[in-house]
Amino acid sequence: MHEKARLLIEALPYIRRFSGKTVVIKYGGHAMKDEELKGSFAQDIVLMKYIGIHPVVVHGGGPQIGRMLERLGKKSDFLGGMRVTDEDTMDIVEMVLVGKVNKEIVTLINRHGGRAIGLSGKDGRLIEARKLHLFRYQGDDRPPEILDLGLVGEVARINVEILRILEKSNLIPVVAPVGVGKSDETYNINADLVAGRIAGALRAEKLILMTDVQGVLDADGRLVSSLTVAEAADLLQDDVLKGGMIPKVQCAIDAVQAGVQKVHIVDGRLPHSVLLELFTDAGIGTEIVKRTGGSRPGEEESDS
């Protein structure tokens, strides 16, 4: 009982600090598959709302899309780590992300006492998008190769007034990373990038990226608990980061530069990982900040 009281007292300055603030959470990885983790995630989101924090959930769904394509006998091709998306694939992506995964998350949060509402980027033109142009370096003496990913997009604009209205209505937005183009074409967009752009547009207090590793690891494989934007950029430049951590760290850098106070990359395999990162002095993952000088307990200096 003593330990429970200590944890509540430790959380108090963070609750006070973040009440009334917006926190964007990118939900994905193992936390979307394991039943216990799904329940703990929903509880975290509902608790945040009850204590006055405004959570916005952005979710992925790559494995679910892959399984559906396989069931339908359609091959998945990847270029530069991104799924090549023709019109038929886009229909399946939208069906899975918006019609299935999104509604499952909404139901999960509502089952645990929240009031969630599901959106795709097409609703109210929440996510205006354009085609993503990807280039592959071929050497100093050759022009870069242009990779055609089909209907893979990048965010052109976030219409934040839709999310603000939902916040004021005490609703929890759950966003599927599907965007709409100028001619009403549909685009498949990386969920990390969508979460980062939404966090920046909302000037969120925090962006939390859930993943299936501890956080950012250094060259020796040790967890780095805190990084400045400059230090994170050095890790990218020095090729220390691998695989899916590269876009996550780039997303974190972009979000902080857009005005997000802090970005947290956390291990979604741990129950209640969102609360542990938000409301404890030590945290559990890696935080990325604009510059050094902030103090984690209470985070009194994070507005500086």
Side-chain angles (χ1 to χ4, degrees):
M1 190 61 69
H2 221 33
E3 179 65 15
K4 291 179 181 179
R6 188 193 66 77
L7 289 172
L8 289 170
I9 294 301
E10 183 177 330
L12 181 59
Y14 299 104
I15 294 171
R16 186 168 55 236
R17 168 74 187 164
F18 302 141
S19 183
K21 302 294 178 63
T22 298
V23 175
V24 177
I25 304 101
K26 184 319 186 91
Y27 179 44
H30 195 68
M32 287 182 67
K33 306 173 199 171
D34 181 275
E35 290 302 318
E36 179 185 354
L37 294 176
K38 286 161 68 173
S40 72
F41 170 78
Q43 290 170 337
D44 290 0
I45 298 301
V46 172
L47 178 60
M48 289 168 67
K49 193 67 177 178
Y50 272 123
I51 61 177
I53 298 171
H54 303 301
V56 176
V57 178
V58 179
H59 65 83
Q64 294 91 328
I65 293 167
R67 286 195 296 270
M68 181 60 73
L69 289 169
E70 187 177 344
R71 282 173 56 186
L72 296 174
K74 190 164 178 61
K75 185 173 177 286
S76 292
D77 293 317
F78 291 85
L79 285 173
M82 297 189 180
R83 191 187 306 275
V84 178
T85 309
D86 59 19
E87 288 189 13
D88 289 341
T89 301
M90 188 66 242
D91 288 342
I92 296 167
V93 167
E94 188 171 15
M95 176 182 69
V96 173
L97 286 180
V98 181
K100 187 174 189 297
V101 177
N102 186 272
K103 301 315 170 192
E104 287 176 352
I105 297 168
V106 167
T107 301
L108 184 68
I109 293 172
N110 290 345
R111 185 185 304 145
H112 284 83
R115 295 181 64 220
I117 185 166
L119 301 165
S120 83
K122 297 169 75 173
D123 293 315
R125 300 185 71 87
L126 170 63
I127 305 170
E128 295 182 6
R130 55 179 171 253
K131 183 178 175 69
L132 176 65
H133 296 284
L134 203 62
F135 302 93
R136 183 155 54 195
Y137 178 70
Q138 298 194 102
D140 294 337
D141 57 344
R142 298 176 62 191
E145 178 186 4
I146 300 173
L147 304 179
D148 188 359
L149 299 170
L151 292 170
V152 174
E154 61 181 351
V155 177
R157 180 171 178 264
I158 301 292
N159 291 308
V160 293
E161 60 270 19
I162 297 168
L163 300 174
R164 294 294 189 201
I165 289 168
L166 295 175
E167 280 186 358
K168 291 176 183 175
S169 301
N170 206 32
L171 294 165
I172 300 169
V174 179
V175 181
V178 172
V180 59
K182 281 187 177 180
S183 302
D184 295 331
E185 66 274 33
T186 307
Y187 285 106
N188 178 21
I189 312 176
N190 178 278
D192 289 327
L193 301 180
V194 169
R197 288 296 301 272
I198 287 177
L202 287 170
R203 306 281 291 185
E205 182 75 12
K206 290 181 179 291
L207 166 64
I208 298 175
L209 302 174
M210 300 179 72
T211 185
D212 285 344
V213 295
Q214 287 178 285
V216 177
L217 305 179
D218 64 16
D220 298 318
R222 294 172 300 199
L223 177 67
V224 182
S225 61
S226 185
L227 287 167
T228 65
V229 164
E231 289 167 341
D234 286 342
L235 291 179
L236 285 173
Q237 184 71 28
D238 296 340
D239 292 328
V240 172
L241 307 177
K242 306 297 179 186
M245 189 56 68
I246 295 172
K248 280 184 170 55
V249 170
Q250 186 60 62
C251 164
I253 292 170
D254 293 343
V256 172
Q257 291 176 335
V260 177
Q261 292 293 339
K262 287 189 178 183
V263 179
H264 302 261
I265 299 175
V266 304
D267 190 346
R269 299 170 300 177
L270 297 175
H272 301 293
S273 57
V274 174
L275 294 187
L276 288 171
E277 182 63 17
L278 280 177
F279 299 139
T280 63
D281 292 342
I284 60 167
T286 301
E287 64 174 17
I288 297 176
V289 298
K290 192 166 188 177
R291 56 184 178 270
T292 56
S295 53
R296 183 170 177 95
E299 303 198 354
E300 295 85 357
E301 299 177 29
S302 67
D303 278 340
S304 61

